[in-house]
Amino acid sequence: MVQTDRTAYLLCAGLIALAACSSSNSDRTVLQNKGSDTLVNVAQAWAENYSRVKSDVAVVVSGGGSGTGIAALINGKVDIANASRKMKFEEHESMRQNGLKAAVQHTVARDAIVVFVHEDNPVSQLSVQQLACVYGEGGSCSTWTDLGIEVPGCAKQEIIRISRQSNSGTYVFFRETVLGETGDFKLGSRDMQGSKDVVDLVTHTPCAIGYSGMGYANEKLKSVCVSANDGEACVSPNAETAASGAYPIARGLYMYTIGEAEGAAKDYLDWILSPAGQAIVTQSGFVPVN
Amino acid sequence: MTAKQDVNPQQATSPPDDERKARAGSPLERVIELAIKASGFSAILFVFAIFFFVFSTASEFIFEKLDFVEFLTSPEWYPTSLSNKRYGTLALLAGTVSVTGLAMLIAVPLGLGSALFISEFTSGSMKEGLKIVIELLAAIPSVVWGFIGLAVMNPLIIEVFDAPIGLNVLNGGIILGLMSVPIIVSIGEDALKAVPDSYREASLALGATRWQTARQVLFPAARSGLLAAVLLGVGRAIGETMAVLMATGHAVQIPGSPLDSVRTLTATIAAELGETAAGSDHYQALFAVGVLLFLLTFGVNLAADLIVRGRSSR
């Protein structure tokens, strides 16, 4: 009897402690933020800087890909999903089926997909059609000679296509913009895990062509000037052309919330769109929205 | 009891009554006996449970949507296409087979050779030192091997073979071969050690050289153990994921030469499974690839088992 009483007391004490704990926790609001690997670095920078602005809000950032982030939003695991593409019809549909409010899209930055080649490659410009001929299923361009280019140090002039794995938002965006709504990639491209791998590989491979978000390009690579159609003037990828939409392979980077953002999430998004938040976008190599 | 006596007649000399009493008096012994039996059977249980899980996850797709001819004979793997999804695994299968084959061409002679050397041609501190170093080799994590493939082998292959890219069958094969060597060495060495010394003595007494003894006496005597060593090496190579994901270039195509990039079955599952919605066609197709991989390793093991049995019954 005494024994059971004691256990009951202990249990009570434990419960009280637990309650106290959780109440002290709730002073600090935690925002869960997950999604696009393209956005993950800038999202982390935002989260870090925001903790200095508002110490009572902690933003937890993780990557995994746009699809993963949106799936987590639908499953109620995150407050804000990061995406480097717009939400798909099916994703909107599955939100509706889960009885959720419609997702609201916030354009937080802009990005251009830079097509790049090895620094020794003499290519100066390519059209979207030529890129489709190189990357697209059924495209007949398999050597640099087919494009009228001679690349020094490249065995057999074979074009080594570097692409991304199918889970990447950059992959989906490139496919949509360059290969068309129903287009597919030609088999046999080297599909890398991340943009950094693409950059590394192209830096060391004279025959290679690759693509990534603007933030990853470096001086050792040669960015290709891209024209929307054969014979048109080409546009170099940079902050102005990406923001104005003149560069043919530019996109918005988005954050999604369920319904209009409220409370801490709204404050956070407002801060991201403020000059302080957008300065971080520029530092990370992307293009600010305003 | 009786079974024990049949197997081991020397035991019959101890009074059977005492033994029975001792066993009945110790429930702990019965518990331990049961536990050992259970752990023996658990291996079978796990194999079936895993196969059941993989197969049942993929079953809806396999029975209702899968076009078997396309799955096995088409190289077109387009699981995320918006207009025309295709689930052909021929190129992935060719990737796995080519990388594993090349790895075995490297690992089997190297592994069996060094097992023979350690077991028969060296002794003392040299032998112990070699064994320790080879065990260390087995302890290197596969992601580190993959990194070596990416950072060291890639530029080296471009340089030496004048290849457009160094992430290919050759790179993956060398990395996987080196990863399989420690397994082949340690199991092969055990198999050779298990050959009774009387065989060696008899052979040498007949005037055979040490090499002749090794080739014509030890290898045949340790045949099944050596084959097991090779098979475990093959198993490691087929199942390895991280290193091949990094070293082979991850390109869906049927290789025409060792300098072509490929993508393996395991790498495809590893790269794509994390991002697919659970239960979707793509998700189930990846489990169907898992079933294929399972059947492949099962086939290799079965074939080798039959070879060993066929030889020994002759």
Side-chain angles (χ1 to χ4, degrees), chain A residues 110-113 126-128 173 177 214 224-229 232-252 287:
Chain A
R110 291 189 68 83
D111 184 20
I113 288 190
L126 290 170
S127 68
V128 170
F173 176 64
T177 336
M214 227 175 176
V224 178
C225 181
V226 180
S227 66
N229 289 295
E232 286 179 14
C234 70
V235 182
S236 299
N238 57 43
E240 290 82 55
T241 57
S244 70
Y247 184 67
I249 329 172
R251 62 174 166 179
V287 183

Side-chain angles (χ1 to χ4, degrees), chain A residues 138-158:
Chain A
S140 57
C141 310
S142 59
T143 63
W144 289 105
T145 323
D146 291 341
L147 298 172
I149 295 154
E150 176 97 15
V151 182
C154 170
K156 294 186 216 137
Q157 296 298 314
E158 185 192 348

Side-chain angles (χ1 to χ4, degrees), chain A residues 64-71 73-74 81-97 101-105 165-176 180-181 183-184 251 254-256, chain B residues 78-83 85 272 275-277 280 282:
Chain A
S66 301
T68 316
I70 291 167
L73 185 73
I74 296 171
N82 303 336
S84 57
R85 58 166 171 80
K86 289 191 172 163
M87 260 175 80
K88 292 179 196 158
F89 176 74
E90 301 96 70
E91 288 164 343
H92 281 295
E93 196 63 6
S94 84
M95 283 194 89
R96 212 172 49 80
Q97 279 164 9
K101 281 191 225 164
V104 175
Q105 173 186 307
Q165 284 167 17
S166 55
N167 52 24
S168 134
T170 312
Y171 168 98
V172 173
F173 176 64
F174 189 86
R175 187 175 69 185
E176 260 175 39
E181 286 292 324
D184 275 309
R251 62 174 166 179
Y254 311 103
M255 282 188 164
Y256 283 95
Chain B
Y78 281 107
T80 60
S81 168
L82 292 176
S83 52
K85 289 186 171 46
E272 294 180 3
E275 298 289 326
T276 53
S280 65
H282 184 190

Side-chain angles (χ1 to χ4, degrees), chain B residues 104-259:
Chain B
M104 286 305 112
L105 280 183
I106 295 165
V108 170
L110 208 59
L112 292 185
S114 88
L116 185 68
F117 178 72
I118 290 174
S119 165
E120 305 299 326
F121 293 92
T122 186
S123 60
S125 59
M126 171 98 154
K127 183 172 183 162
E128 290 311 308
L130 275 174
K131 280 170 83 168
I132 291 169
V133 171
I134 283 169
E135 273 159 26
L136 266 179
L137 200 63
I140 296 175
S142 64
V143 69
V144 173
W145 281 113
F147 190 72
I148 291 170
L150 209 57
V152 180
M153 302 280 295
N154 180 31
L156 200 69
I157 290 175
I158 293 178
E159 185 74 21
V160 174
F161 293 96
D162 197 23
I165 189 169
L167 302 176
N168 48 28
V169 176
L170 183 66
N171 192 335
I174 291 172
I175 293 287
L176 271 192
L178 294 179
M179 287 175 79
S180 309
V181 162
I183 295 177
I184 298 181
V185 174
S186 52
I187 298 173
E189 201 248 343
D190 282 346
L192 288 171
K193 203 165 62 186
V195 176
D197 274 342
S198 55
Y199 282 40
R200 295 182 182 83
E201 286 155 9
S203 172
L204 294 174
L206 286 171
T209 62
R210 286 168 85 185
W211 168 240
Q212 285 168 331
T213 304
R215 202 167 67 90
Q216 286 167 356
V217 176
L218 297 179
F219 269 174
R223 188 180 55 220
S224 62
L226 293 176
L227 192 66
V230 171
L231 275 184
L232 281 166
V234 173
R236 165 108 214 223
I238 290 183
E240 174 51 42
T241 305
M242 204 57 220
V244 288
L245 181 63
M246 293 165 83
T248 56
H250 212 59
V252 185
Q253 62 180 357
I254 295 174
S257 87
L259 297 177

Side-chain angles (χ1 to χ4, degrees), chain A residues 16-283:
Chain A
I16 290 163
L18 228 154
C21 248
S22 58
S23 71
S24 76
N25 245 354
S26 66
D27 292 349
R28 203 172 148 88
T29 314
V30 176
L31 284 176
Q32 294 288 344
N33 179 209
K34 186 181 177 76
S36 165
D37 284 324
T38 310
L39 263 173
V40 73
N41 286 336
V42 64
Q44 253 153 11
W46 276 328
E48 264 171 44
N49 283 280
Y50 194 61
S51 68
R52 272 172 238 146
V53 179
K54 267 198 135 168
S55 56
D56 58 339
V57 177
V59 184
V60 182
V61 179
S62 55
S66 301
T68 316
I70 291 167
L73 185 73
I74 296 171
N75 296 334
K77 287 187 190 136
V78 298
D79 305 288
I80 302 171
N82 303 336
S84 57
R85 58 166 171 80
K86 289 191 172 163
M87 260 175 80
K88 292 179 196 158
F89 176 74
E90 301 96 70
E91 288 164 343
H92 281 295
E93 196 63 6
S94 84
M95 283 194 89
R96 212 172 49 80
Q97 279 164 9
N98 284 14
L100 299 168
K101 281 191 225 164
V104 175
Q105 173 186 307
H106 312 265
T107 309
V108 289
R110 291 189 68 83
D111 184 20
I113 288 190
V114 179
V115 176
F116 43 72
V117 293
H118 191 265
E119 55 184 344
D120 293 344
N121 193 322
V123 68
S124 57
Q125 72 168 81
L126 290 170
S127 68
V128 170
Q129 283 89 338
Q130 282 176 313
L131 287 173
C133 178
V134 169
Y135 271 105
E137 190 182 16
S140 57
C141 310
S142 59
T143 63
W144 289 105
T145 323
D146 291 341
L147 298 172
I149 295 154
E150 176 97 15
V151 182
C154 170
K156 294 186 216 137
Q157 296 298 314
E158 185 192 348
I159 301 179
I160 302 289
R161 285 163 286 136
I162 317 289
S163 183
R164 292 289 308 282
Q165 284 167 17
S166 55
N167 52 24
S168 134
T170 312
Y171 168 98
V172 173
F173 176 64
F174 189 86
R175 187 175 69 185
E176 260 175 39
T177 336
V178 176
L179 310 180
E181 286 292 324
T182 56
D184 275 309
F185 280 94
K186 202 189 289 178
L187 289 175
S189 57
R190 275 73 172 174
D191 304 334
M192 298 292 117
Q193 183 94 36
S195 292
K196 217 189 139 296
D197 302 332
V198 178
V199 170
D200 283 350
L201 201 54
V202 177
T203 312
H204 297 119
T205 315
C207 297
I209 183 168
Y211 61 88
S212 82
M214 227 175 176
Y216 292 89
N218 64 29
E219 324 77 65
K220 278 189 159 177
L221 292 167
K222 185 169 175 184
S223 304
V224 178
C225 181
V226 180
S227 66
N229 289 295
D230 281 330
E232 286 179 14
C234 70
V235 182
S236 299
N238 57 43
E240 290 82 55
T241 57
S244 70
Y247 184 67
I249 329 172
R251 62 174 166 179
L253 297 172
Y254 311 103
M255 282 188 164
Y256 283 95
T257 51
I258 300 174
E260 283 297 340
E262 288 163 4
K266 182 174 172 18
D267 295 343
Y268 184 51
L269 283 165
D270 287 346
W271 176 80
I272 285 175
L273 293 173
S274 73
Q278 291 296 304
I280 294 168
V281 172
T282 315
Q283 280 166 24

